[in-house]
Amino acid sequence: MKYLGIFIALIVCSQLLFAQKNFVVDVNKVGAEVQPEMYGIFFEDINFAADGGIYAELVKNRSFEFDEPLMGWKEPNSNRHSLNVNSGRAIPITKSEDIANRHFLRINVNDGSGYSIINEGFRGMGIKEGENYDLSFMASVETGINQVNFELITTDGSTISKGSVAVNGNSWQTYETTLTASATCPKAKLKITFADKGTIDLDMVSLFPEDTWLGRKKGMRKDLVQLLADLNPGFVRFPGGCIVEGRTLKKRYQWKTTVGPIENRQNLINRWNTEFSYRSASDYFQSFGLGFFEYFQLSEDIGAEPLPILNCGMACQYNTGELVPMDEIDPYVQDALDLIEFANGPVDSEWGKLRTEMGHPKPFNLKFIGIGNEQWGKDYFDRYVVFVKAIKEKYPEMKIVSGSGPSPNGEYFDYGWDQLKKLNAEIVDEHYYKPPEWFKANATRYDSYDRNGPKVFAGEYAAHNKAEAHAMTKNTWDCALSEAAFMTGLERNADVVYMTSYAPLFAHVDAWQWAPDLIWFDNLSAVRTANYYVQQLYAKNAGTNVLPITSEGASITGQNNLYASAVIDENTSEVIVKIANTGDEAQEINIDLKGLKKSVKKEEVKITCLHTDQSEAVNTLEAPNAVVPNQSSVTADKNGFVIEAQGNAFYVCRLKVK
């Protein structure tokens, strides 16, 4: 009897351990609308995301406008510290302090031995065998020089492409040629050689791949934009982020200096240049070849709503915290009004005319605008209300995004939300960079938010597997899975959560300042992180309306390490169930579709799964497939279906029900 009792107890324990979990999805209770803009992307020029990244220009400091005008350029056969200069010398010349493109380079060639200058690119130049590269430059010949020779050289000095351009005349002219690569090199350089004795002035030395996104000349890097399009984003937030604020107001991002002809756009030091001493990048500047027009165009290209964020008269409060006085705020407000006109105004308006001249007479149909990035305290709200009043008076239909500060809780956060509720704010931007456990514990974060208050924009978030957000934290599967679990709470609360975006977006493997990031790249290729796939699965399976999903009458928010949400897509008549199993053990789950008008027996359930047993697994350029989506299917049985949810896995299940 003693052993029989033990045997029965073992059977009972085994049944409890492997008991089927029952999830009930009530198909009749169609709930809150999931906004078309729900899952978007956050772009900030950090980690060399713009110049050296998505903007396909290969020449660094093409217009000699960096604080050190020759940064990025070398003179291999000139002794700059000797009065007896060998074959030549490059001298930066200032045209005027009052124009955007202030400097050019004067080349004095002393003999015909072949004086050269070399541009190093952005940690090199990614060159592909057989590809064409569009080279252009501006030049004015003072004396003697009739030809400029160009080469693409490898790290060992070998030539993989060459070309020559005849030059003449002492007035500024633009010259162009095409270089075709005979080999692939991830870190090539551009060498410019002058064989004749004489003097020539150079400016805007530029090299772009011919094969850009949509074939636009001097456009964007094709593979990186394709990764954004593949995310199926509902919006693009730009240009940041802290980059909007600047360390000082003088160094803030000003959209008007980023539009018009690229040679007239005003270069600016990047605020991430030396922000972190352990990842200093003194050569990090902004050419603004990727400016506000290009951001609007990018959003349109990938079918996303543009969401520009503007400075509200406050420099970064982590740096100087400089404030524009309230009686001097009008130009900042006018910038916001002018931006809306630039995006939406008629072709005969001042800023609509500029948009038209840039090649886009049709309005961009801007619907959202953000005032300030991550500001906090009374100073922010004093300025915020001035912006709101001016924008709503002229553009009452514009939806305004406001900020709740840099943290998801605490004094600044509580004060910010209190003020924003009193001001009847529309959409409030919340930011959180926290450990994976925080994300799992906060899947219920928005369950208790006021349904009649402002909507939420989860504008910057990422799980960090180290305590310090700025430390080298990797895009591990543990982080991505915790985000997937957390996002079930975003989706379940779509009546409160209006839009969401992971941050940051891009990082160059040789030039990053902040990690983790959604997409890592080098000069030739890029890798989708596990976090990327989580974001993509949510965006591509957003549905149109929330459905309640419960277990034993309660939302599924961490019980037995399970998290779940459900939506219906009214356009395709499909129920979509998302399940994150953050535990190590597999669990059998029965999905009961309550309220169906007819049986779904024998209907195929399409299942996409992200899974690995290695919580520290990371997708890298060398090993991009550590965590990738896998497809499978099961057959629905009458009113539902059963899945075997592996441990450490995220599932998306789609079933046609009508």
Side-chain angles (χ1 to χ4, degrees), residues 70 74-93 105-111 114-117 145 194 198-202:
L70 280 175
K74 303 293 183 186
E75 298 172 89
N77 52 352
S78 173
N79 184 351
R80 295 186 59 79
H81 300 290
S82 171
L83 293 176
N84 298 314
V85 177
N86 295 332
S87 59
R89 188 171 183 179
I91 305 171
I93 304 293
L105 196 64
R106 175 158 292 166
I107 306 292
N108 293 318
V109 183
N110 298 326
D111 56 41
Y115 169 75
S116 298
I117 57 173
I145 294 177
F194 309 87
T199 300
I200 185 172
D201 296 335
L202 293 181

Coordinates of all heavy atoms in Angstrom, one line a residue, residues 70 74-93 105-111 114-117 145 194 198-202:
L70 N 40.2 68.8 -42.8 CA 40.8 67.6 -43.4 C 40.6 66.3 -42.7 O 41.2 65.3 -43.1 CB 42.3 67.9 -43.6 CG 42.7 68.8 -44.8 CD1 44.2 69.1 -44.8 CD2 42.2 68.2 -46.1
K74 N 43.7 62.0 -46.1 CA 45.1 61.9 -45.9 C 45.9 62.3 -47.1 O 45.4 62.3 -48.2 CB 45.5 60.4 -45.6 CG 44.7 59.8 -44.4 CD 45.2 60.4 -43.1 CE 44.4 59.7 -41.9 NZ 44.7 60.4 -40.7
E75 N 47.1 62.8 -46.9 CA 48.1 63.2 -48.0 C 49.3 62.3 -47.9 O 50.2 62.6 -47.2 CB 48.5 64.6 -47.8 CG 47.3 65.6 -47.9 CD 47.8 67.0 -47.5 OE1 48.3 67.7 -48.4 OE2 47.8 67.4 -46.3
P76 N 49.3 61.1 -48.6 CA 50.4 60.2 -48.4 C 51.7 60.6 -48.9 O 52.7 60.1 -48.4 CB 49.9 59.0 -49.2 CG 49.0 59.5 -50.2 CD 48.3 60.7 -49.5
N77 N 51.8 61.6 -49.8 CA 53.1 62.0 -50.3 C 53.3 63.5 -50.2 O 53.8 64.2 -51.0 CB 53.2 61.6 -51.8 CG 52.1 62.1 -52.7 OD1 51.1 62.6 -52.2 ND2 52.2 61.9 -54.0
S78 N 52.8 64.0 -49.0 CA 53.1 65.4 -48.7 C 53.5 65.5 -47.2 O 52.9 64.9 -46.3 CB 51.8 66.3 -48.9 OG 52.0 67.6 -48.4
N79 N 54.6 66.2 -46.9 CA 55.0 66.5 -45.6 C 54.5 67.8 -45.1 O 55.0 68.9 -45.4 CB 56.5 66.5 -45.5 CG 57.1 66.6 -44.1 OD1 56.3 66.9 -43.2 ND2 58.4 66.5 -43.9
R80 N 53.3 67.8 -44.4 CA 52.6 69.0 -44.0 C 53.4 69.8 -43.0 O 53.1 71.0 -42.8 CB 51.2 68.7 -43.5 CG 50.3 68.1 -44.6 CD 48.9 67.9 -44.0 NE 48.3 69.2 -43.6 CZ 47.8 70.1 -44.5 NH1 47.8 69.9 -45.8 NH2 47.3 71.2 -44.0
H81 N 54.3 69.2 -42.3 CA 55.1 69.9 -41.3 C 56.4 70.4 -41.7 O 57.2 70.9 -40.9 CB 55.3 68.9 -40.1 CG 54.0 68.4 -39.5 ND1 53.1 69.2 -38.8 CD2 53.4 67.2 -39.6 CE1 52.0 68.5 -38.5 NE2 52.2 67.3 -38.9
S82 N 56.7 70.3 -43.0 CA 57.9 70.8 -43.6 C 57.7 72.0 -44.5 O 56.7 72.0 -45.2 CB 58.6 69.7 -44.3 OG 59.8 70.2 -45.0
L83 N 58.6 72.9 -44.5 CA 58.5 74.1 -45.4 C 58.8 73.6 -46.8 O 58.4 74.2 -47.8 CB 59.5 75.2 -45.0 CG 59.1 75.9 -43.7 CD1 60.2 76.9 -43.4 CD2 57.8 76.6 -43.8
N84 N 59.6 72.5 -46.9 CA 59.9 71.9 -48.2 C 58.9 70.8 -48.6 O 59.2 69.6 -48.5 CB 61.4 71.4 -48.2 CG 62.4 72.5 -47.9 OD1 62.3 73.5 -48.5 ND2 63.3 72.2 -47.0
V85 N 57.7 71.3 -49.0 CA 56.7 70.3 -49.3 C 57.1 69.5 -50.5 O 57.6 70.1 -51.5 CB 55.4 71.1 -49.6 CG1 54.3 70.1 -49.9 CG2 55.0 71.8 -48.3
N86 N 56.9 68.2 -50.5 CA 57.3 67.3 -51.6 C 56.6 67.6 -52.9 O 57.0 68.5 -53.6 CB 57.2 65.9 -51.2 CG 58.1 65.5 -50.0 OD1 59.1 66.1 -49.8 ND2 57.7 64.5 -49.2
S87 N 55.5 66.9 -53.1 CA 54.9 67.0 -54.4 C 53.7 67.9 -54.4 O 53.1 68.2 -55.5 CB 54.5 65.6 -55.0 OG 53.6 65.0 -54.1
G88 N 53.2 68.3 -53.3 CA 52.0 69.2 -53.2 C 51.5 69.3 -51.8 O 52.1 68.8 -50.9
R89 N 50.4 70.1 -51.7 CA 49.8 70.3 -50.4 C 48.3 70.7 -50.6 O 47.9 71.4 -51.5 CB 50.5 71.4 -49.7 CG 50.1 71.6 -48.2 CD 51.0 72.5 -47.5 NE 50.6 72.7 -46.1 CZ 51.3 73.4 -45.2 NH1 52.3 74.1 -45.6 NH2 50.9 73.5 -44.0
A90 N 47.5 70.2 -49.6 CA 46.1 70.5 -49.6 C 45.8 71.6 -48.5 O 46.2 71.4 -47.3 CB 45.2 69.3 -49.3
I91 N 45.2 72.7 -48.8 CA 45.0 73.8 -47.9 C 43.5 74.1 -47.8 O 42.9 74.5 -48.8 CB 45.7 75.0 -48.3 CG1 47.2 74.7 -48.5 CG2 45.5 76.1 -47.3 CD1 48.0 75.9 -49.1
P92 N 42.9 73.9 -46.6 CA 41.5 74.3 -46.5 C 41.3 75.8 -46.6 O 42.0 76.5 -45.9 CB 41.1 73.8 -45.1 CG 42.1 72.8 -44.7 CD 43.4 73.2 -45.4
I93 N 40.4 76.2 -47.4 CA 40.1 77.7 -47.6 C 38.7 78.0 -47.2 O 37.8 77.3 -47.5 CB 40.3 78.1 -49.1 CG1 41.7 77.7 -49.6 CG2 40.0 79.5 -49.3 CD1 42.8 78.4 -49.0
L105 N 38.7 72.9 -50.6 CA 40.1 72.5 -50.5 C 40.9 73.0 -51.7 O 40.6 72.7 -52.9 CB 40.2 71.0 -50.4 CG 41.5 70.4 -49.9 CD1 41.7 70.8 -48.4 CD2 41.5 68.8 -50.0
R106 N 42.0 73.7 -51.4 CA 42.9 74.2 -52.5 C 44.1 73.2 -52.6 O 44.8 73.0 -51.6 CB 43.4 75.6 -52.2 CG 44.4 76.1 -53.2 CD 44.4 77.6 -53.3 NE 43.2 78.1 -53.8 CZ 42.8 79.4 -53.7 NH1 43.6 80.3 -53.1 NH2 41.7 79.8 -54.3
I107 N 44.3 72.6 -53.8 CA 45.4 71.7 -54.0 C 46.5 72.4 -54.8 O 46.2 72.8 -55.9 CB 44.9 70.5 -54.8 CG1 43.7 69.8 -54.1 CG2 46.0 69.5 -55.0 CD1 44.0 69.2 -52.8
N108 N 47.6 72.5 -54.2 CA 48.8 73.1 -54.9 C 49.7 71.9 -55.2 O 50.2 71.2 -54.3 CB 49.6 74.0 -54.0 CG 48.8 75.3 -53.7 OD1 48.1 75.8 -54.6 ND2 48.8 75.8 -52.5
V109 N 49.9 71.6 -56.5 CA 50.7 70.6 -57.0 C 52.0 71.1 -57.5 O 52.1 72.0 -58.4 CB 50.0 69.8 -58.1 CG1 50.9 68.6 -58.5 CG2 48.7 69.3 -57.6
N110 N 53.1 70.7 -56.8 CA 54.4 71.3 -57.1 C 55.2 70.7 -58.3 O 56.1 71.3 -58.9 CB 55.3 71.3 -55.9 CG 54.7 72.1 -54.7 OD1 54.1 73.1 -55.0 ND2 54.9 71.6 -53.5
D111 N 54.9 69.5 -58.6 CA 55.6 68.8 -59.7 C 54.7 67.8 -60.3 O 53.5 67.6 -59.9 CB 56.9 68.2 -59.3 CG 56.8 67.2 -58.1 OD1 55.8 66.4 -58.2 OD2 57.6 67.2 -57.2
G114 N 52.8 63.1 -59.2 CA 51.6 62.4 -58.8 C 51.2 62.7 -57.3 O 51.1 61.7 -56.5
Y115 N 50.9 63.9 -57.0 CA 50.4 64.2 -55.7 C 49.0 63.6 -55.5 O 48.2 63.7 -56.4 CB 50.4 65.7 -55.5 CG 49.7 66.2 -54.2 CD1 50.2 66.0 -53.0 CD2 48.4 66.7 -54.3 CE1 49.6 66.4 -51.8 CE2 47.7 67.0 -53.1 CZ 48.3 66.9 -51.9 OH 47.6 67.2 -50.8
S116 N 48.7 63.1 -54.3 CA 47.4 62.4 -54.0 C 46.8 62.8 -52.7 O 47.5 63.2 -51.8 CB 47.6 60.9 -54.0 OG 48.1 60.4 -55.2
I117 N 45.5 62.7 -52.6 CA 44.8 62.8 -51.3 C 43.9 61.5 -51.3 O 43.4 61.1 -52.3 CB 44.0 64.1 -51.2 CG1 43.0 64.2 -52.3 CG2 44.9 65.3 -51.0 CD1 42.0 65.4 -52.1
I145 N 46.3 72.5 -64.1 CA 45.8 71.1 -64.0 C 44.7 70.9 -65.0 O 43.7 71.7 -65.1 CB 45.3 70.9 -62.5 CG1 46.5 70.9 -61.6 CG2 44.6 69.5 -62.5 CD1 46.2 70.7 -60.1
F194 N 46.7 64.0 -58.8 CA 46.9 65.1 -59.7 C 48.3 65.0 -60.4 O 49.3 65.1 -59.7 CB 46.8 66.4 -59.0 CG 45.5 66.5 -58.1 CD1 45.5 66.0 -56.8 CD2 44.3 67.0 -58.6 CE1 44.4 66.1 -56.0 CE2 43.2 67.1 -57.9 CZ 43.2 66.6 -56.6
G198 N 50.3 72.6 -60.8 CA 49.3 73.7 -60.9 C 48.5 73.7 -59.6 O 48.8 73.1 -58.6
T199 N 47.4 74.5 -59.7 CA 46.5 74.7 -58.5 C 45.0 74.4 -58.9 O 44.6 74.9 -60.0 CB 46.6 76.1 -57.9 OG1 48.0 76.3 -57.5 CG2 45.7 76.3 -56.8
I200 N 44.3 73.7 -58.1 CA 42.9 73.4 -58.3 C 42.2 73.4 -57.0 O 42.7 73.0 -56.0 CB 42.7 72.0 -59.0 CG1 41.2 71.8 -59.4 CG2 43.2 70.9 -58.1 CD1 41.0 70.6 -60.2
D201 N 40.9 74.0 -57.0 CA 40.1 74.0 -55.8 C 39.0 72.9 -56.0 O 38.4 72.7 -57.0 CB 39.4 75.3 -55.7 CG 40.4 76.5 -55.5 OD1 41.5 76.2 -54.9 OD2 40.1 77.6 -55.8
L202 N 38.8 72.2 -54.9 CA 37.8 71.1 -54.8 C 36.8 71.3 -53.8 O 37.0 71.9 -52.7 CB 38.5 69.7 -54.6 CG 39.5 69.2 -55.6 CD1 40.0 67.8 -55.1 CD2 38.8 69.0 -56.9

